[in-house]
Amino acid sequence: MYKIILLPGDGIGIEVTKSALSVMKTVAELFNVELEFEKHLIGGSSYDAYGEPLTKETLQACYNSDAVFLGAVGGYKWESLPHNLKPEAALLKLRKALGLFTNIRPAKIYKPLIDSSSLKKEVLSGVDFLVLRELTGGIYFGEPREFDANHGLNTMVYFKDEVERIAHMAFKIARERNNKVTSVDKANVLEVSQFWRNVVHQVHKEYEDVLLNDLYVDNAAMQIVHNPKQFDVILTSNLFGDILSDIAGMITGSLGMLPSASLGNKYALYEPVHGSAPDIAGQNKANPLAAIASVAMMFDYSFEMKKAASLINEAIVKTLEDGYRTVDIQSEGCKIVSTEKMTQIVITNFKELYHNQAIGLFTL
Ligand code: NAD
C-alpha cells in the first residue's frame, strides 16, 4: 500500500490534480496496487482557510507519505501579500522541509507535437534527456546575502555531501537509461565549479560503466539548442539548472506538457512545471498532460512501476497521434477538447494499451 498526498493548490492546479488522480486510480485498478489518497490545502487556498500557505498539518501529512503530488499554487488574489505569506512561499518551504535536493525535468519530444517547437524537425527527432538540477543548495541559499544602494552580494557555495548525493542520483538514473552523464559547470572561472567537477569525478569512480563528460554552462546552453540528441542525463547546480531546464523544456514545446519530479533521500514530490494559470482557471481548458506525465514519473521513481509509467506515456502519445488537443497546443485540423475530455481519452487509451499488452503476453 502506498500513501499519496494530493496538494491541488490553486487555479488550474485543482483541475489538473483531478486528472492526475483519475489516472492514479486507473493504475491502482489495472495493476492491482493499493493506493491511499489524502487531500490537503496549499498555497492561496490554504492562506484563505488558515491564514498561512503551508500549515503544519499539511507538512506532517507529507512526512507520512510515500509520494506527494502537487498541482500548482498562486493567483492574482494573493499577489499583494507579504513574501512569506504568498502561495509560492509554500513551495520553497515544502521542498526544503522534505529535503528534495534533486529536481528532474525530462526533455522528450512528443512526435505529434514536433512542428510546434521552434527548432527544426531533424534537430529534434529522437531527443530524450533529463536535466537533474540541485535544488536545495548553491547560490539560492548561500550566505551571506545582502544588498544596499552600492552593492549586491550572493554566495555560491557547495559542500561535498551536497554534490556527492546528487552525483550518485545522476549516475544511478543514467544506468537505467542510456548510461551517460554530462556534468555542467563553470570550472574555468569559478572555484565552486572546480570543486563540483572534482567531486563528481570522485563519485564517478563507483560508476565507471557510465560515461561522464563535462561541459561549461555557456557551451551546454548552446549544445541544447544545437544538438540536443547528444544528451542523456545533464547534472548541474541550482542556478545553472534553473536556466538549462527551462531551455530544455521549451525546445520540446508547450508549458502544459512538461512534468517534473523532485526527489530526496526519503521523500518525493511530483508536479507539472506550469503554474496556476489564473487566466484560464475554472474553465475546463487546462492541458492535463503535464500533470499526467508527472504521475508517470511517480510510478517510475517512487514505486518502481516502470510498466505503468511507460504505458501512461504511451497513452499520452496515442492521444496526441489521434489528433486530440487542448487549446494551448492546438494546431490545424486537430480536435479541441476540454481538460476532462482529454483526461478521459488518455485513460481509455491507457486501458486499451494495458489490455493489448496483456493479450500479447498471453499469446506469446
Ligand atoms: P503559468 O504557468 O501559470 O501560465 C503561463 C501561461 O501558460 C498562461 O497563459 C497560462 O494560461 C498558460 N498555461 C500554463 N499551464 C497551462 C496548462 N496546463 N494548460 C494550458 N495553458 C497553460 O505562469 P504565470 O502566469 O507566470 O503564473 C501564474 C501563477 O502561477 C503565479 O501566481 C505564479 O507565481 C504561479 N506559479 C506557480 C508555479 C507552481 O506552482 N509550481 C509555477 C509557476 C508559476
Side-chain angles (χ1 to χ4, degrees):
M1 204 269 288
Y2 296 119
K3 186 163 188 180
I4 299 169
I5 301 299
L6 301 168
L7 306 175
D10 310 312
I12 66 163
I14 297 166
E15 297 161 65
V16 300
T17 301
K18 255 192 210 154
S19 304
L21 176 59
S22 304
V23 174
M24 291 181 216
K25 285 182 173 167
T26 310
V27 174
E29 178 193 312
L30 295 179
F31 287 79
N32 208 11
V33 53
E34 206 180 322
L35 302 179
E36 189 185 314
F37 303 103
E38 208 180 285
K39 212 179 270 183
H40 289 268
L41 296 178
I42 193 168
S45 54
S46 172
Y47 176 80
D48 285 351
Y50 307 114
E52 50 182 329
L54 177 67
T55 61
K56 272 197 200 108
E57 290 70 26
T58 296
L59 195 52
Q60 193 53 48
C62 295
Y63 284 140
N64 294 328
S65 72
D66 293 299
V68 180
F69 182 92
L70 188 136
V73 298
Y76 309 133
K77 188 176 167 192
W78 304 285
E79 267 169 13
S80 53
L81 286 173
H83 236 63
N84 62 325
L85 293 179
K86 279 197 165 83
E88 294 78 2
L91 271 188
L92 296 183
K93 203 170 155 191
L94 183 65
R95 289 172 185 155
K96 192 80 182 167
L98 298 180
L100 305 174
F101 59 83
T102 307
N103 179 252
I104 306 180
R105 297 249 303 252
K108 190 174 174 178
I109 293 298
Y110 289 103
K111 258 198 199 151
L113 296 184
I114 204 161
D115 289 323
S116 60
S117 169
S118 48
L119 295 190
K120 287 186 202 138
K121 250 188 200 172
E122 318 72 273
V123 176
L124 276 179
S125 115
V127 164
D128 180 3
F129 65 92
L130 301 177
V131 178
L132 252 72
R133 164 189 172 194
E134 201 290 325
L135 202 59
T136 53
I139 197 162
Y140 288 5
F141 294 93
E143 297 285 347
R145 53 194 304 152
E146 63 194 33
F147 76 97
D148 60 23
N150 288 317
H151 85 300
L153 171 72
N154 283 95
T155 303
M156 196 191 246
V157 56
Y158 269 110
F159 296 94
K160 198 171 175 194
D161 61 324
E162 291 176 316
V163 186
E164 279 174 348
R165 63 189 183 181
I166 192 166
H168 280 291
M169 185 88 89
F171 291 122
K172 282 182 187 151
I173 288 174
R175 270 185 177 162
E176 302 272 308
R177 295 172 47 90
N178 292 315
N179 246 10
K180 183 177 174 191
V181 171
T182 302
S183 176
V184 173
D185 59 41
K186 190 71 185 168
N188 50 343
V189 180
L190 301 174
E191 283 76 6
V192 59
S193 276
Q194 185 61 57
F195 173 75
W196 173 282
R197 189 177 282 210
N198 293 348
V199 176
V200 169
H201 280 260
Q202 270 166 26
V203 174
H204 181 233
K205 288 183 184 147
E206 294 176 44
Y207 303 85
E208 279 178 346
D209 53 309
V210 181
L211 197 68
L212 169 67
N213 71 327
D214 304 286
L215 276 187
Y216 297 133
V217 62
D218 39 353
N219 189 12
M222 288 196 288
Q223 293 298 327
I224 287 174
V225 290
H226 175 64
N227 177 19
K229 265 179 254 187
Q230 67 184 287
F231 297 115
D232 180 25
V233 174
I234 292 181
L235 162 66
T236 192
S237 59
N238 205 342
L239 173 64
F240 300 155
D242 192 0
I243 300 161
L244 294 183
S245 58
D246 269 16
I247 303 176
M250 274 331 281
I251 64 167
T252 67
S254 154
L255 199 50
M257 300 293 304
L258 304 174
S260 80
S262 300
L263 311 179
N265 285 331
K266 209 161 167 211
Y267 302 106
L269 179 140
Y270 300 86
E271 57 181 323
V273 167
H274 61 74
S276 59
D279 53 334
I280 58 162
Q283 299 174 36
N284 200 12
K285 271 187 188 168
N287 185 345
L289 296 180
I292 294 174
S294 304
V295 171
M297 293 183 87
M298 175 187 286
F299 284 105
D300 186 352
Y301 293 114
S302 280
F303 308 144
E304 297 272 321
M305 291 176 63
K306 295 199 180 296
K307 192 72 215 168
S310 70
L311 286 180
I312 295 171
N313 286 324
E314 282 174 44
I316 293 175
V317 174
K318 168 89 171 57
T319 306
L320 295 170
E321 275 170 359
D322 291 344
Y324 295 103
R325 302 281 189 277
T326 40
V327 279
D328 58 310
I329 50 171
Q330 63 183 299
S331 58
E332 237 183 87
C334 70
K335 296 168 242 181
I336 295 185
V337 289
S338 65
T339 311
E340 284 171 4
K341 184 77 189 162
M342 189 69 143
T343 308
Q344 266 173 25
I345 297 167
V346 173
I347 289 176
T348 304
N349 285 332
F350 178 41
K351 287 182 174 169
E352 209 174 288
L353 286 162
Y354 175 84
H355 289 302
N356 287 349
Q357 61 107 46
I359 290 167
L361 282 180
F362 188 67
T363 53
L364 269 181

